[in-house]
Amino acid sequence: MMSSPHARAILYSVIVALGGLIFGLDAVLISGGVDQIREEFGLSDWWLGFAVSAPGFGVLLALLLTGWLCNSLGRKKTLLLIAFLYVLSAIWSTVAPSYWQLVVARLLGGLAFTSLSLGPMYIGEIAPARLRGKLVAINQINTVIGLSGAYFINLAILNASQSTAPWLQSLNIGDNLWRYMLGSEILPALIWFLLLFLIPESPRWLLFRGRDAEAKEALRRIVPEEEVDTQIEEMRQGIDEETKDLPVMTQIAELLGSGLRIAVLVGATIAIAQQATGINAIYFYAPTVFKQLGYDANAAFMQAAVMGVVSLVFALLALSVVDSLGRRPVAVLGFLWIIASLGLCAYGFSQAKYELTDEALAALPEEADAGALRELVGKPFGSDIEFKEAIGETIGVDEARKHESALLEGSVELPAGLIVAGILSFIAAFQFSVGPVMWILLSEIFPTSVRGVAIPLFHFITGVTSYLVQLLFPVALSTFGAATVFASFVAIPLVGLLVLYVYLPETKNLSIEEIHEAFTKKSQPAV
């Protein structure tokens, strides 16, 4: 056992924040198997989007119960339940024999995505005020490590499937590529589940439930003995004894009262605008996006891995400055950076021109009907939509999808370097700013009496936005084209930028009670 209480608080925060890593793996590993899953189960764009976004739907269901669970069972038991669901989902997804079993298994994993809201809630309740921003940001860092790791795992599995080594060929990786990718989550999820048995219950929650002696005992594990009584009194002052056992709907009514209206506006704005940037569409479909630029499968996977590295580097930079620069400037400047980056991508895709070449036909595999496509050679197309529609009408939609990457690789002319730079700049901006800042703000701006409902509620809003983006992305890409899709990712974040610029105060170095008081004052009408 570590001797320093603050060191133990850091250790427990890191353990809980591993849930972000498991989320990152669970969310992104499927990106490498999208094409194979589509082909194996014969999926349209709609059904593909439904499978990829199934966890997003699962988390919406879970968030309806998370507030009640974490207030009734406690933070620790709810975290253990979440970790168990990750393990079960990973195993089932790996062996799923049918499309619908895969969907249900991934939906089950989505029930565990509430780790993204419960983790920061727990960390925010045990962390010293001066370290809270950094420790909550660790959850986001681990999410990015999981996202980045997933791309490298997928790339390694893809390379293994192409190896001539007899022992690798005996594993039949090529025919089960997506199963190996999803199965790589099982071990880390199991490790996280076991580590969670080491953490204490949240002292703030114990005090909230009237278990004062247990709250003091838990607090002694994370703060020096001489600070225990002082912190207990500070927490007690922030807990409204009259409302601590109110029903969930009553707490929601309190949350929506005039005293918290600015906090609610800020929470809702950043919850929607963060996901409306399209961040999870880029992460979950990264190889697909890079194939739109004409990259082959190996190059697309490599670009996705580079994107993961950029994510990690800028998330670490955010961790180093989030408590020094403050939440407000990081959020406002981050949205400006994001909007500029997405605009660059939209412009690059709008300059694309498509023309099928003899070289592209020669590169097709033998089973492709290259002869039927010869009539399209030399014919210019002004957009990816026109090009894909012409290919589909000539050889059939299913065949066109199967060979889409190879055809795009030899037929598209566009500023690929400019678009890649825009995507990487967007990822950097997101991970440096609104990625970690949203979770920090949601962990800070609500009083204890409604935190168990408020944080899952705004995670629910984020989840709805994320789910819709993931579900509709394949359809939107094939219906409207990449230029229009990226341009649409600018609109809501632009509105979010304006709202946050006007209403978001600075919260760094303030206790939860001081932040609540500041928002209460801002919510009062001017006299």
Side-chain angles (χ1 to χ4, degrees), residues 439-451:
W439 298 113
I440 294 171
L441 286 173
L442 291 183
S443 74
E444 292 179 331
I445 64 178
F446 300 107
T448 302
S449 59
V450 298
R451 285 164 63 79

Side-chain angles (χ1 to χ4, degrees), residues 49-66:
F50 190 67
V52 173
S53 65
F57 183 72
V59 74
L60 299 183
L61 299 177
L63 287 171
L64 298 175
L65 296 174
T66 301

